[in-house]
Amino acid sequence: MGWYSQGSYRGSQDTDLPLHEHCGCILEFEPEHSQRTFRISSHKDIDLLIVPTLVKYKEQHAPNITIAADIEHLNEQDRQDALRNRSVDVILATVPLTDHGYINHVLFEQELVVTASKKHPRIKDMLTMENFMNESHLVWKTQRLNTNTLDSLVIENNLPARKVAYRTGSTTTALMLASETDWLCVTSKWHATKVAESFGLNVFPVPFETNKVPVYMTWHQTQKNDTGHQWLREAIINSVPKKQ
């Protein structure tokens, strides 16, 4: 058993449910022997942080389980339905589910930075607020509060309108476009520093105060005592990059 990614999700199967779902009894989850399938709904940007370490953790501690991480829900109602009907076990997202019955755990918080091409004709060694507002921007759009990530995190909440050149839900796409244009890209520090050298990008602090981007792990309260589900949650927590 292994790892399912985009395009290989098998759908909800009764045979994939823990045994106690069928017989009404409570069995301890034994990770070294289990062949259970777990399903995670996430976002490709979050997957880049979590999946590589989670794969290694699974191979070391539970080599026979399968983790399907190919499901992305873009609105809150779909997230709630998926957790309630157990088509997924956990959701990783930048917003919590606040309705009764859902448990949210903050996995980590990401600092924001600004990236610009090293070939940028106007921005070289530093980035001022004036520079920031004069340039065109790649907007990193998530479903966080139904707005652009940066706009929802500005502490004073009065950021002037920027000149938007391109909108994308993929931070990797935004960073690659920033490397090939004069557009600025606000993104997480982790993603920016991972590719800055290979993409030819300079990384600058955001020239005003912002909050960090939180990433939550959310599950339905009916699964809180499931020992297999507990193992999955601990595995995800242990897979968070140490430096955030």
Side-chain angles (χ1 to χ4, degrees), residues 30 108 220:
E30 298 180 347
F108 54 87
H220 196 268

Side-chain angles (χ1 to χ4, degrees), residues 67-122:
I67 298 179
D70 62 343
I71 314 148
E72 185 174 346
H73 296 99
L74 297 180
N75 65 70
E76 186 166 309
Q77 187 59 54
D78 287 347
R79 293 186 183 112
Q80 291 180 358
D81 292 345
L83 289 175
R84 188 166 50 248
N85 64 32
R86 301 194 185 186
S87 59
V88 299
D89 292 287
V90 298
I91 287 175
L92 309 182
T94 57
V95 287
L97 291 180
T98 57
D99 283 7
H100 178 72
Y102 300 95
I103 301 171
N104 302 284
H105 173 83
V106 179
L107 285 175
F108 54 87
E109 295 181 318
Q110 302 179 87
E111 181 182 346
L112 293 177
V113 295
V114 185
T115 60
S117 171
K118 290 183 176 180
K119 298 177 289 186
H120 199 290
R122 293 170 295 280

